[in-house]
Amino acid sequence: DKKKNVSSLSFLFNAGSRYENSMTAGVSQMVEMLAYRGSTTISKLKMNRCMEEIAAHFGASSSREIMTFAAEGMRSTVPRMMKVLVEVSTRPFYFNWNKGEEYNELLVEEIGTLERVISHNATMMEHEPSAMVNEMLHAAAFEGNTLGLPLFATERSLQRVTPQVLAEHVASYLYGDHITISGVNIDHDELVGYANEHLGSLPKSSGA
């Protein structure tokens, strides 16, 4: 804690493409792209308004082994940033996939909005030889398993990944011992208090 006016907060989960399989390949990047579109308790519109009021920068990223949700804003907004990160990382909107067919159709429609982004990313990849080579090297070295699984979502991912698949994937890593919380310019005891309040109820994994 350097007593600065700007603070940053990050949730890092033991998750990513290495934990997928041939049927769920691309789901981690889809979780990243669907972040901040609401939760089971907060609508997309209300969450957008909340983030605008906080005036903080929010983001999400996925890699082969880590899923990150992060925020940076004024020190005074840390409690509100924490709540937003908790909502999007532990209660994403597609956890409501079992609330009926009509609701599920709305979720499918929201997921479908990723088609243009995924198509754009695929086009960009074609012009990034280094990224393509990196993907091929991982696939060859690990024979299409764990770290050899694709890092990026594809049109095939859109066809296979349903709201239920998304929910089950996120639920698979929602354990207290699978998350690291990082804070910059936040009092340590204050950060521990927020973590216990909002994430203390997360269970431990069977391997803990």
Side-chain angles (χ1 to χ4, degrees), residues 100-124:
E101 184 176 346
E102 183 175 346
Y103 195 90
N104 196 59
E105 288 178 358
L106 293 175
L107 299 180
V108 170
E109 183 177 335
E110 184 71 25
I111 294 171
T113 63
L114 299 181
E115 182 175 2
R116 182 177 298 179
V117 179
I118 290 174
S119 178
H120 174 73
N121 289 346
T123 301
M124 293 293 290

Side-chain angles (χ1 to χ4, degrees), residues 138-158:
H138 275 84
F142 296 95
E143 299 182 347
N145 294 296
T146 60
L147 294 175
L149 289 166
L151 183 60
F152 305 101
T154 63
E155 292 183 4
R156 190 175 184 183
S157 304
L158 276 176

Side-chain angles (χ1 to χ4, degrees), residues 67-85:
M67 175 68 67
T68 305
F69 299 89
E72 181 178 77
M74 298 303 294
R75 188 185 184 103
S76 60
T77 64
V78 167
R80 299 182 71 186
M81 290 194 297
M82 184 82 176
K83 290 180 180 179
V84 171
L85 293 182

Side-chain angles (χ1 to χ4, degrees), residues 57-192:
H57 175 73
F58 290 89
S61 65
S62 61
S63 65
R64 298 188 191 279
E65 299 184 274
I66 299 174
M67 175 68 67
T68 305
F69 299 89
E72 181 178 77
M74 298 303 294
R75 188 185 184 103
S76 60
T77 64
V78 167
R80 299 182 71 186
M81 290 194 297
M82 184 82 176
K83 290 180 180 179
V84 171
L85 293 182
V86 168
E87 289 292 328
V88 299
S89 65
T90 67
R91 293 187 284 272
F93 68 92
Y94 41 81
F95 269 27
N96 284 331
W97 67 270
N98 58 353
K99 281 198 169 183
E101 184 176 346
E102 183 175 346
Y103 195 90
N104 196 59
E105 288 178 358
L106 293 175
L107 299 180
V108 170
E109 183 177 335
E110 184 71 25
I111 294 171
T113 63
L114 299 181
E115 182 175 2
R116 182 177 298 179
V117 179
I118 290 174
S119 178
H120 174 73
N121 289 346
T123 301
M124 293 293 290
M125 279 282 289
E126 293 176 359
H127 296 87
E128 290 288 341
S130 60
M132 293 182 67
V133 170
N134 189 48
E135 282 289 284
M136 290 187 288
L137 285 174
H138 275 84
F142 296 95
E143 299 182 347
N145 294 296
T146 60
L147 294 175
L149 289 166
L151 183 60
F152 305 101
T154 63
E155 292 183 4
R156 190 175 184 183
S157 304
L158 276 176
Q159 296 171 2
R160 291 184 171 183
V161 177
T162 64
Q164 181 179 356
V165 170
L166 280 162
E168 291 176 348
H169 173 74
V170 172
S172 72
Y173 62 73
L174 282 185
Y175 294 99
D177 53 308
H178 284 190
I179 177 175
T180 298
I181 301 175
S182 171
V184 177
N185 290 325
I186 303 174
D187 179 79
H188 179 264
D189 292 337
E190 183 181 353
L191 181 59
V192 171

